[in-house]
Amino acid sequence: MASPYNMAFACLDCHKSFKREFNLAEEYPVTLTCPNCGGNAHNLGRHFKAPKRTDKKQWAKVQLLLEHGFFFQKIYDNSNAGELVPYPETLEQAKEFVVKYKAYAVQRKI
């Protein structure tokens, strides 16, 4: 039996983030109901680190990334010896990131 994983979920409406444990062999929900506002909280995997709820610029960056199919999955740049690509730190960097790495985007609606 596979080990359970703690998956991070984030709500773009109220900027609430929380974790839930799942056995990925059995289920992988892409959204859950936000316990704070009742909206959709998106599964951003194990590696997502939520910004502070009051950090509007960082949440705008998160929203831009999600809108372009970047759900904080790991990306390895094949043109650079398969190195792991770090996620952008700012909204401006994110705008360049979504263009440069669009081939790695996940086709999933938010």
Side-chain angles (χ1 to χ4, degrees), residues 33-90:
T33 301
C34 175
N36 191 56
C37 73
N40 282 332
H42 303 278
N43 186 341
L44 303 182
R46 298 174 24 201
H47 307 290
F48 177 71
K49 303 286 187 248
K52 291 182 180 181
R53 288 180 71 186
T54 56
D55 193 339
K56 295 189 184 307
K57 287 183 181 181
Q58 287 297 311
W59 280 101
K61 176 192 76 175
V62 170
Q63 180 154 355
L64 176 84
L65 290 167
L66 298 184
E67 287 172 349
H68 286 87
F70 294 95
F71 291 84
F72 294 85
Q73 70 275 21
K74 286 188 176 182
I75 297 172
Y76 295 94
D77 186 355
N78 294 330
S79 67
N80 193 20
E83 288 192 22
L84 181 64
V85 176
Y87 269 75
E89 294 182 19
T90 67

Side-chain angles (χ1 to χ4, degrees), residues 4-44:
Y5 287 96
N6 279 325
M7 307 302 281
F9 289 80
C11 177
L12 297 176
D13 295 330
C14 70
H15 301 163
K16 173 82 174 170
S17 177
F18 58 95
K19 292 188 177 187
R20 294 290 183 269
E21 189 175 276
F22 293 98
N23 181 336
L24 299 183
E26 297 173 6
E27 62 182 332
Y28 185 88
V30 294
T31 61
L32 290 178
T33 301
C34 175
N36 191 56
C37 73
N40 282 332
H42 303 278
N43 186 341
L44 303 182

